[in-house]
Amino acid sequence: MTVSLTLRRPDDWHVHLRDGQMLAAVADATARQFARAIVMPNLKPPVTTAAAAAAYRDRIRAAVSPGLKFEPLMTCYLVDGIDSDELVRGHAQGIFTAAKLYPAHATTNSAHGVTDVRHIYPALEAMQRIGMPLLIHGEVTDHTVDIFDREAVFIERILKSVVADFPALKIVFEHITTKDAVDFVRDSGPNIAATITPHHLAINRNAMFEGGMRPHFYCLPVAKRELHRQALRQAATGGDPKFFLGTDSAPHAVETKESDCGCAGIYCAPLAIESYARVFEEEGALDRLEGFASEHGPRFYGLPLNPDFITLERVATPVPPRIPAAGTEIVPFHAGEVLDWRFVA
Ligand code: OTD
Ligand code: ZN
Ligand code: ZN
């Protein structure tokens, strides 16, 4: 008899859906499993106005196959000196769910990001007032700081002062990768939460160097030591409502990953819930997957839980080595592996 698992339909609280042909290729992978997703604004050019976000939302809706019910939740890319009225208006119109802080040059397409957090203080003031969440890519960009330390140093140098200056601001510390971040979020007030990706639960930094350079395990923030992965697994599977699902699925064409300057990003959307299910099963916490995947996120964002349910079956599920997309191919996370769970509907 096949063992199955039924969960309230989950949401993805952090995803890169891209644009154009790539959007057309990847949209269904997210929309199949997730009812809603927080869509990252790091397009070229970045999404910095409500009009641009509304147009992007239309393109996403058009890219999703008819029959899939999916709600893209849009974010504003914060830039130095951004007009807080634009944020407030976009939020009031139901276009912006949240705004995203990229420190300039911290990750893919972040060149227009914030050079000093004080340059967005008026925006943070307004967001605190209206209850609009701030999503943070939490890494310093100081090249004298070791790349593996950039998240921990960000907490000390920047995040602590933002939290002190805006004590009621809702903050999601995105795609956390360290025990330092887990501890910080746990010890903060209820307005501070974090998303955790499938890949940071599954791999440590060794994966990038296993028998040679492995560009498909390279993403930002970069995977850390095993002790950090263990802390993330405890946080995700421990039932604490401050931690919830955010895949950070970030597709790149294979030739741009396998290059002399390979792009950062892991495409984990196609088997996202299966990947999380493996972690929760390994930790003996399958009964807590639903909270992490489907309840903690909406509660933090103040949105209703999804009314429908999904089913996973415990059957061997081979992951394709490559997925055709946009005239080329993408190597998905877990390529060539066999996962134990399969999303059915
Ligand atoms: N990290 N790649 C990308 C974004 C994320 O920092 C992130 O959220 C991307 O390609 O957009 C990545 O490695
Ligand atoms: Zn990021
Ligand atoms: Zn991301």
Side-chain angles (χ1 to χ4, degrees):
M1 204 190 75
T2 310
V3 175
S4 71
L5 181 67
T6 298
L7 300 179
R8 187 178 293 282
R9 185 173 293 276
D11 304 297
D12 185 350
W13 299 98
H14 181 133
V15 71
H16 300 267
L17 293 179
R18 311 304 194 203
D19 212 344
Q21 275 192 301
M22 192 56 103
L23 167 62
V26 304
D28 279 358
T30 293
R32 219 164 53 90
Q33 297 196 340
F34 300 105
R36 298 168 289 199
I38 286 278
V39 180
M40 288 296 128
N42 63 332
L43 302 182
K44 281 179 178 173
V47 178
T48 56
T49 63
Y56 183 32
R57 184 169 65 181
D58 289 344
R59 296 197 296 280
I60 295 167
R61 287 178 175 153
V64 171
S65 293
L68 292 176
K69 234 179 95 235
F70 176 67
E71 180 61 11
L73 304 175
M74 309 311 290
T75 57
C76 181
Y77 184 119
L78 295 170
V79 295
D80 285 348
I82 191 159
D83 177 13
S84 23
D85 292 343
E86 179 71 12
L87 287 171
V88 172
R89 230 181 358 252
H91 188 254
Q93 290 169 347
I95 300 169
F96 287 141
T97 298
K100 178 69 190 256
L101 165 57
Y102 289 106
H105 306 292
T107 185
T108 308
N109 296 345
S110 62
H112 302 277
V114 173
T115 59
D116 181 331
V117 73
R118 297 195 168 269
H119 296 159
I120 57 163
Y121 263 31
L124 300 188
E125 190 73 58
M127 289 167 63
Q128 174 173 253
R129 180 163 42 79
I130 63 176
M132 181 179 183
L134 172 69
L135 316 184
I136 300 184
H137 180 109
E139 287 191 287
V140 293
T141 53
D142 178 346
H143 284 262
T144 65
V145 177
D146 190 280
I147 191 166
F148 295 100
D149 297 333
R150 287 180 191 173
E151 184 173 284
V153 172
F154 182 88
I155 296 170
E156 294 305 318
R157 287 195 192 164
I158 296 162
L159 190 51
K160 283 187 175 171
S161 56
V162 171
V163 171
D165 292 342
F166 302 97
L169 180 62
K170 276 191 181 185
I171 295 177
V172 185
F173 197 169
E174 298 287 339
H175 51 46
I176 58 170
T177 62
T178 56
K179 177 174 187 302
D180 311 67
V182 168
D183 292 344
F184 178 79
V185 170
R186 224 179 237 144
D187 296 343
S188 300
N191 55 318
I192 315 291
T195 54
I196 306 181
T197 75
H199 35 286
H200 291 110
L201 294 169
I203 62 168
N204 63 33
R205 63 191 193 173
N206 290 339
M208 289 183 290
F209 310 107
E210 210 74 74
M213 296 283 288
R214 302 285 188 167
H216 300 293
F217 294 122
Y218 172 58
C219 67
L220 292 169
V222 74
K224 307 295 192 299
R225 288 177 182 277
E226 179 62 9
L227 80 90
H228 297 293
R229 185 179 78 106
Q230 289 302 334
L232 295 172
R233 288 170 73 100
Q234 294 319 309
T237 63
D240 186 335
K242 285 168 157 280
F243 301 99
F244 45 84
L245 186 158
T247 63
D248 199 14
S249 181
H252 290 278
V254 60
E255 66 276 7
T256 65
K257 295 281 296 173
E258 299 176 3
S259 136
D260 65 354
C261 185
C263 292
I266 294 180
Y267 182 47
C268 56
L271 290 113
I273 197 68
E274 294 90 334
S275 182
Y276 284 115
R278 169 150 97 178
V279 171
F280 278 73
E281 184 170 43
E282 286 168 351
E283 297 295 331
L286 269 178
D287 58 323
R288 294 191 177 144
L289 178 59
E290 188 171 42
F292 176 80
S294 318
E295 295 173 356
H296 302 169
R299 287 199 181 117
F300 184 82
Y301 275 85
L303 293 169
L305 303 186
N306 294 314
D308 56 329
F309 291 80
I310 64 164
T311 302
L312 303 182
E313 281 179 359
R314 206 176 187 298
V315 289
T317 306
V319 182
R322 289 180 173 208
I323 295 175
T328 172
E329 291 173 312
I330 310 172
V331 176
F333 188 48
H334 296 300
E337 287 181 57
V338 178
L339 298 181
D340 299 327
W341 289 93
R342 186 178 66 193
F343 169 85
V344 270

